[in-house]
Each structure stands twice: as structure tokens, then as C-alpha cells.
Amino acid sequence: MLTLPQTFWKRNRSFKISLLFCILTGLLSGWLIVTLIQDNRQVADDARGNAVQQAVDAAREISLVLDTVPVLADRLSQEIGSGQLADEDVETRFLSLLEANPKVSAITACFSPEHLPDFVVARGDDRYCPFSYTDENGDLFIQRIEDSYDYTLPHGSIDSSGEPVNTYWYHSPIGEGPVWDEPYLGSATGVYWGGYGIPFYRTPADGEVADASGRTPAGTIDVSLTLEQFQTLVGELDFGDVGTGYGFIISKTGDFIYHPESRFVNQALNITDYDPQLSISVINGTSQTEEGSTLSVFNHVDQQSGRESWLVIAPVGPAGWWVGIALDKDSIIQRAALVEENRRREVEIAMAVAAFLFFSALVYIIQEHKGSNRGYWKASIIFSFLAMSGIAYIWVLTLTGSQEPPKNDVILQEQAITSKIVSNYLEDSDKLMELPTGILVESVNFASAHNVEFTGYIWQRYGSDVPESMIPGLTDEVPGFTLPQANIGYNDDVAEVFRRVEDDEVVIGWYFRSQRRQQLDYAHYPFNREDLRIRIWPPDPFGDFLLVPDLASYRSTIPEILPGMDTSELVLGGWKAESSFFSYRDLNLNTNLGQGISANQVVLPELLFHVGLRRQFVDAFISHVIPLLIVASLLFAVLVIVTLRQERIGIFGFSTSNVLAYCAALFFVVVISHISLRDGLDAPVDIVYLEYFYFVIYTAILLL
């Protein structure tokens, strides 16, 4: 059995207590560090697991919908080809199937010119292609494709109107057999479709070439879903907090079938356009099995915003498509509550480590010096050094740490997430129109401690869906926006500076000057950070416009690059701009503004533009901290020099009256500096951080 030397038990009580606290604080420090790392890792793992589960569930749900499409198409092919379904009853049959299968958007049967039904030939037509579909209201319609364009033309041919036609969906099944279509824009409907095509057969006529089964293709059956349905399927996924993620679907070749940003579908962009490091071959090559399903997991960085996401891509079996889930890492890991909690725990770790080092040094001093004056001096020096190191660590942590995100806001930094949020609002209203709005801040001036003056430009893009009567005119007194809580005269402080027409859009820009009272927080002075906000509303908060940040007008939306800020000549006087970004905040009004709608309802979110500022520490350090350090040093010098020995009093020249006079002089200096501090901050109500150093000096003077 291990036995300790008897000399250990003979040491004084101070040594034993110090050793005990040294061990306890060491264990506490290790435990705090390990739990912080594990908890942060658990948050990341939970978020990643949520993205994986969402992708698996979405792929499974979409597969269940798509599984019914080939079955339905094959049944119709057999019914028409065998004659079980009379040609005259095709349209009626299609309508009944659409009514029985609400998730199917359209059914089409296009007959080849050689196998037209007899009743079509009898009426003198040379084409027959009934297209049955369900509109957005659930009503059923029949449209004949041949009335819009010639579906038998080669794919990409120019029709009589001079426009290229999409006939791939008709020719591909006849030439290649059953196939899932790549997403395409319907030439007759102007709607994006994705579906499954299969040929139907008839007995070959004289001179026709038959296949191995003795039949010849007589036309194409196409069962389709609109991309709006895919949007609904993916849009209903729950990503937790608003603004944390979005979903998309790509085809077997990597083309986008659905994405919150419509340009990915409208411009036929590929997964490589979304992320240059991705392709279908890369996705297939990195597939792995998680949650019982095959999927691929990547780290994706948005090219415009710089935000990093977990990207989970899972296969959709029947069509060879892929469903992707992008979950924003920053929104998960840098939540305001989590950032604040981590900062508090880092301070706790620093205090525990400092305590461990102090008691370790104390054990050494007691063991080596056994209560001598030299030991006390060493203990005092070590304690002072650790205290100053702790203060310096907290300062560095505050200066280098990132600004906490707004607690009640949804940050609009990435275009895809913004589009996802906007689409959720648009789905709730048939009249609501999005109005892209941008801002460029030219100057920021602190008129007083709580009043901030802004100047700059605000522009808006009015699309072709906006009635001309709703576009602000040159003579309108109020522009297309208002700035709540701002001291602004719209006739004097807002002026229209440009109006242009670009691609069926009217772009109007105004120059503005406004002063807004901000609730600035000086509690952490001189380490305070301020979030200056410009609130932007439409003229009628209950109206038909939803203000949307015009992120596409910015080269980059990375907050640290300061999008929306003219940094070339920006003078902030004692402040440094750290970030700028847009956000949404729910706006709850306790009035209906006399418009006859129910009071206390939640209206549209308000658009905010944030400017994050950090105070320059050097100015406060030179004007306040250095004088306090000098005063503290002088007090320590007096404490060392003062003596009770009569023979030394004459040498140093210090008596009780001299010490009191000296302390009074120092007190007067500190009080003047303290008053100057509070006057400079416009008499803040709360005690600011720097004032605690003054209170320490006051206490030291009294104790001396």
C-alpha cells in the first residue's frame, strides 16, 4: 500500500488547505474544458443528424409520390394499346384519374400521325394530343397540344411563332422506351414540368416496322408533376428555427428541378453551378449509409455570403433524382443564446485555471519559504500577475469575439434561405407581392449619445407583376418606403435620384437623410459593441408589399465585408464598423391603424438593415486606464514607503498628515477623471464597466 512520508502530515495547515484547493481547482478546470468541448460538439452533431434525417425523410416522401407515376403510366399504356380504353374515352378517363390522384398534375397522350384515332381522322385533323391537368385551384381542364404547337417536330425546332419547341418528352419514350423526363418548360403551358414518359403500342400497319414483340409505337403517355408540387413537398420540411436551412431537388444529370432561388430552375443551372466542387459523379462516389439510407454529406460554402452549411444529398429512387438539404452551420452554432453561454463558460474556465495556478504557486511558496517575507512577496506578485492576466484575457476575449446576433431577428444573408423565408410568406396571401429593396449607407454620425444620423441611398425594384398605379410617381410625397422612429421629413430629406427600366422592372432610387434615436448600451464601455438599425417599412404595413432585401445587387453579403456601406470615405470617429446585414423581425402592432382588420394580428415582418460597430479601445485606454494605472502605482509606492519606524520617517519624509494630503490629491485627480468619463457618455443610467476600476481606486485610497 502506498504510504506518504511523515513529513507530509507535519506540514502546516495552510499547506494542506492550499494543496486541497489546488487539486480541486485543477479537476474543475479540466471538467469545464471537457464539457464545453463535448457540448459544442453535441450541438453540431445534433444539427448534422437533423439534416441527415430531413434528407432521408424528404427522399422517402418524394419517392412515395413518384412511385405511383410509373404504375399509372404503364396502366394507361396497356389500356390504350390493347384497345381496352376506347380512343373516344381517353379524355374522360384522364380526368377521372386526375381526380382520383390529386398529387398527379397532368396526364398526356400524344398519338403519332400514323396511328390517329378514327374520329380524329374523320374530322380532318392530322394531330391528336389531349393534355389534361389540374390548375392551382384544383379545377380540371383539357387542352390539346396540337392547338399550340406541332409536337411531332424534332426537339428544339422553330414553330410557326418563331419560338423553339420542347418535344423531347414526346420523342424520347418512343425512341428509348420508358424514361423520366428532365425538367422542362412546357411550350403550351409556360409551366415547368417533370414527369415519366412511356410509349403505347398498336399492331403495325402495312409497311410499318415492328419491334421484337410484333408491335409498333403508336404514341407517348406522359404522367407529370409540376415543379410547384416538388416545391410544396420540400418546402414543408421542418428545419427547426426559421432561416436555418432549405431543400432542393436535382435530376439524374444534376440539373435543378427545384430550388428556393428560381434562377436555378429558370436558367437550367446544374449542381456544379451551385457548388463548383460538386457533380453527379462526386455525389455517387461519396455515397455512404446513414440512418439506414444511402446519402452523401458535404460542407458547402455559399459563394456570395460565405456562410458554411451541412449539405446532405439523398437519392430519390424511381426517377434517379436527388433531394438535398442545406442546413446553415452559423445559424445553429452561433445562435445568440449559445454564443452568450459559451462566452460565460470561457470566463468560468479562465477563472478556474487562474485559481489552479494561484494555489499551485501557493503550495510551492509555502513548501519552500515556510511563511517568510520573501514567500509573501512572491505570493503577492503571483496573485497580482494572475489577476492582471485574467483581466487581460477577458479584454482580449471581448475585443476578438464576434458580435452576438440579434436575438429576435432572422438574418437574411444567404439568397437561398431568404428566398425560402419569402416563399413561406407569399404562400399565405394571394395578393402579396415581393418588393426587392436595397440600401447603401454613405455616412453615420453620432449627433448625441443616443441619436444617430444616417445618409445614403435606398432603391426598390418593381417587377412586371406590380400594377403601374402602385409604383411611386415623381410627384408622390411619400416614396416606396418609410423609416419608422426616424426624424425625417420626406419632402426635405428624401429625393428621388434615378428611375430606370431594366428587364421589365422599374428601378427607383432615393437619396435620404434621417436621424434616429437608438437605445445604445454603454454598460461594457470601452468594450461596447452597438447594433445600429435602420427599420424599413412599406408605406402601408398592412398593404400588399413584402419588402425583400435585394441581395443580388451586392457583390458579396459577407457581413465583415460591409455590404451596403460606402467604406471608401466612411468616418466613424472612435468607432470601427464590424459588420452589416439585413434581417427580418416580426412586427406586432396593437392597432389596426383604422383599416378595419382585426387588431393585435401579426402583420408582415419589418425589414431591418444592421450596422455593427465596435468602439475603438485605444482612446479610452489612453484617457482613462493609463491614469488609473499610474494612480494605482503611486498608491502602492506610498504603501511600501510608509513605515512606523522613527528612524526611517525622517529618511522618506512621510508622516500621517503627508499621507492624507497625498491621498486627497490623488482622490481629486481620480474624481475629475471619473466625472469626465460620465459626461462624455451623456450620463448613462447604468454603471459602465470602466467605472469599476474607479471604485477599486477609491477603495484603495480609503484603505491606505
Side-chain angles (χ1 to χ4, degrees):
M1 183 177 67
L2 179 64
T3 59
L4 296 175
Q6 292 185 358
T7 55
F8 174 83
W9 304 108
K10 294 180 180 180
R11 300 189 190 280
N12 57 41
R13 183 178 301 175
S14 299
F15 175 83
K16 297 176 183 178
I17 294 176
S18 299
L19 181 60
L20 176 62
F21 277 103
C22 177
I23 296 173
L24 292 177
T25 53
L27 293 175
L28 177 62
S29 301
W31 178 76
L32 289 174
I33 293 173
V34 171
T35 54
L36 177 62
I37 295 174
Q38 288 180 342
D39 290 348
N40 285 337
R41 186 176 298 169
Q42 186 63 43
V43 170
D45 290 343
D46 290 345
R48 181 184 180 278
N50 178 54
V52 169
Q53 189 60 51
Q54 291 283 359
V56 171
D57 292 344
R60 185 179 297 116
E61 184 176 353
I62 294 173
S63 296
L64 290 175
V65 175
L66 297 182
D67 281 339
T68 63
V69 173
V71 175
L72 183 59
D74 185 65
R75 186 199 313 169
L76 287 172
S77 175
Q78 294 181 15
E79 290 179 359
I80 296 176
S82 65
Q84 179 183 352
L85 176 62
D87 295 338
E88 296 85 351
D89 298 330
V90 166
E91 297 182 10
T92 304
R93 174 65 168 155
F94 285 0
L95 293 176
S96 64
L97 286 175
L98 286 176
E99 188 173 6
N101 297 272
K103 291 187 177 181
V104 175
S105 302
I107 303 176
T108 308
C110 288
F111 290 78
S112 65
E114 297 79 15
H115 296 87
L116 293 175
D118 293 338
F119 73 91
V120 174
V121 176
R123 68 189 184 198
D125 294 336
D126 57 357
R127 303 285 187 274
Y128 182 55
C129 184
F131 167 67
S132 58
Y133 64 96
T134 306
D135 69 2
E136 58 185 10
N137 298 320
D139 297 326
L140 301 176
F141 294 91
I142 287 284
Q143 180 180 347
R144 292 190 173 88
I145 298 295
E146 67 271 17
D147 294 338
S148 300
Y149 66 95
D150 186 355
Y151 59 86
T152 63
L153 291 174
H155 177 64
S157 299
I158 304 300
D159 64 1
S160 57
S161 64
E163 297 293 332
V165 294
N166 181 359
T167 58
Y168 176 83
W169 59 270
Y170 168 75
H171 292 288
S172 180
I174 293 177
E176 304 174 14
V179 62
W180 280 94
D181 305 324
E182 288 293 294
Y184 64 92
L185 179 65
S187 298
T189 60
V191 175
Y192 280 92
W193 299 90
Y196 178 81
I198 185 174
F200 61 89
Y201 298 89
R202 292 284 173 85
T203 302
D206 294 339
E208 283 189 313
V209 179
D211 61 8
S213 63
R215 302 175 302 170
T216 185
T220 294
I221 297 291
D222 189 87
V223 179
S224 301
L225 296 90
T226 63
L227 297 191
E228 283 78 4
Q229 287 187 284
F230 299 136
Q231 176 180 351
T232 301
L233 289 172
V234 179
E236 291 176 349
L237 297 176
D238 181 15
F239 298 100
D241 295 335
V242 177
T244 57
Y246 60 92
F248 60 83
I249 305 175
I250 56 176
S251 69
K252 56 188 175 184
T253 60
D255 294 331
F256 277 93
I257 295 174
Y258 164 71
H259 190 279
E261 290 186 72
S262 58
R263 66 183 181 91
F264 280 93
V265 177
N266 296 339
Q267 300 176 18
L269 298 182
N270 192 271
I271 188 66
T272 305
D273 300 310
Y274 172 77
D275 190 326
Q277 299 180 357
L278 294 181
S279 64
I280 291 298
S281 59
V282 171
I283 295 173
N284 282 317
T286 56
S287 296
Q288 58 191 24
T289 301
E290 290 190 34
E291 302 292 335
S293 300
T294 301
L295 47 84
S296 300
V297 182
F298 305 94
N299 284 326
H300 167 68
V301 179
D302 182 69
Q303 300 178 39
Q304 183 186 28
S305 66
R307 295 181 75 88
E308 190 174 357
S309 303
W310 287 291
L311 184 61
V312 183
I313 302 179
V316 178
W321 298 346
W322 300 80
V323 59
I325 300 296
L327 199 62
D328 186 57
K329 285 186 179 181
D330 292 338
S331 297
I332 300 298
I333 298 176
Q334 296 186 4
R335 292 196 302 265
L338 185 60
V339 171
E340 185 176 351
E341 174 68 13
N342 282 345
R343 188 168 297 174
R344 182 186 62 80
R345 295 174 69 175
E346 287 173 356
V347 173
E348 291 176 351
I349 291 174
M351 295 175 63
V353 171
F356 168 71
L357 294 176
F358 172 74
F359 285 112
S360 298
L362 197 59
V363 168
Y364 167 76
I365 292 170
I366 294 175
Q367 183 180 10
E368 294 296 326
H369 300 282
K370 300 179 181 179
S372 65
N373 288 337
R374 179 178 296 181
Y376 289 129
W377 270 105
K378 284 188 175 182
S380 176
I381 292 173
I382 291 174
F383 178 79
S384 300
F385 174 76
L386 291 176
M388 294 177 65
S389 299
I391 293 174
Y393 172 76
I394 293 175
W395 287 5
V396 171
L397 190 66
T398 304
L399 289 172
T400 58
S402 59
Q403 188 172 14
E404 294 182 9
K407 294 183 179 181
N408 300 318
D409 291 21
V410 178
I411 296 177
L412 306 176
Q413 183 180 337
E414 186 174 348
Q415 183 65 65
I417 290 180
T418 301
S419 299
K420 173 69 169 57
I421 296 171
V422 170
S423 66
N424 291 340
Y425 284 107
L426 296 179
E427 289 175 0
D428 297 334
S429 174
D430 296 333
K431 298 181 179 180
L432 196 60
M433 296 173 288
E434 58 180 298
L435 181 57
T437 303
I439 187 172
L440 176 65
V441 175
E442 291 278 296
S443 67
V444 179
N445 178 44
F446 285 84
S448 65
H450 292 281
N451 289 287
V452 185
E453 183 178 285
F454 298 94
T455 63
Y457 295 89
I458 292 179
W459 67 89
Q460 294 179 321
R461 311 176 72 94
Y462 293 85
S464 57
D465 59 328
V466 179
E468 187 175 352
S469 60
M470 300 181 68
I471 300 177
L474 292 171
T475 59
D476 290 351
E477 295 184 358
V478 179
F481 64 90
T482 59
L483 303 178
Q485 296 181 333
N487 183 9
I488 182 173
Y490 290 97
N491 287 331
D492 301 326
D493 298 326
V494 178
E496 182 177 322
V497 291
F498 64 83
R499 179 184 293 255
R500 292 192 296 270
V501 178
E502 299 178 355
D503 300 329
D504 297 330
E505 287 185 331
V506 178
V507 183
I508 307 176
W510 296 270
Y511 186 83
F512 75 96
R513 179 179 66 250
S514 72
Q515 186 177 112
R516 183 173 184 271
R517 189 163 182 82
Q518 303 264 353
Q519 185 61 42
L520 304 181
D521 182 14
Y522 290 95
H524 297 93
Y525 178 87
F527 301 101
N528 52 318
R529 284 182 163 94
E530 300 299 343
D531 179 24
L532 305 183
R533 299 173 299 278
I534 300 178
R535 304 171 67 190
I536 309 175
W537 288 11
D540 180 4
F542 292 99
D544 297 331
F545 282 127
L546 171 63
L547 299 189
V548 178
D550 188 17
L551 300 181
S553 295
Y554 299 95
R555 184 170 56 252
S556 173
T557 57
I558 299 175
E560 292 75 17
I561 296 181
L562 303 179
M565 300 285 293
D566 182 7
T567 57
S568 59
E569 297 290 339
L570 188 63
V571 179
L572 294 174
W575 295 86
K576 180 181 179 181
E578 285 190 315
S579 62
S580 60
F581 55 91
F582 288 95
S583 76
Y584 271 154
R585 177 184 298 172
D586 288 337
L587 179 63
N588 294 307
L589 297 181
N590 60 0
T591 176
N592 58 21
L593 301 181
Q595 299 190 39
I597 54 181
S598 59
N600 297 320
Q601 76 171 32
V602 178
V603 297
L604 296 176
E606 63 174 332
L607 180 65
L608 295 96
F609 181 72
H610 299 255
V611 178
L613 301 181
R614 175 170 59 85
R615 186 180 292 275
Q616 297 282 18
F617 172 70
V618 176
D619 177 63
F621 184 82
I622 294 175
S623 58
H624 295 288
V625 177
I626 289 181
L628 289 178
L629 290 176
I630 294 175
V631 170
S633 301
L634 292 175
L635 287 174
F636 181 74
V638 172
L639 183 64
V640 173
I641 293 174
V642 169
T643 179
L644 297 177
R645 298 181 181 182
Q646 292 295 328
E647 64 274 13
R648 293 188 178 182
I649 292 178
I651 298 176
F652 297 117
F654 268 95
S655 62
T656 302
S657 59
N658 289 338
V659 171
L660 290 175
Y662 187 76
C663 290
L666 292 179
F667 176 75
F668 180 77
V669 172
V670 174
V671 167
I672 295 298
S673 178
H674 192 178
I675 293 174
S676 174
L677 169 65
R678 293 193 67 85
D679 287 344
L681 299 179
D682 196 17
V685 177
D686 298 326
I687 297 176
V688 303
Y689 170 74
L690 193 57
E691 286 186 283
Y692 289 103
F693 290 88
Y694 285 93
F695 298 150
V696 171
I697 297 298
Y698 293 150
T699 304
I701 292 175
L702 289 175
L703 293 177
L704 187 63

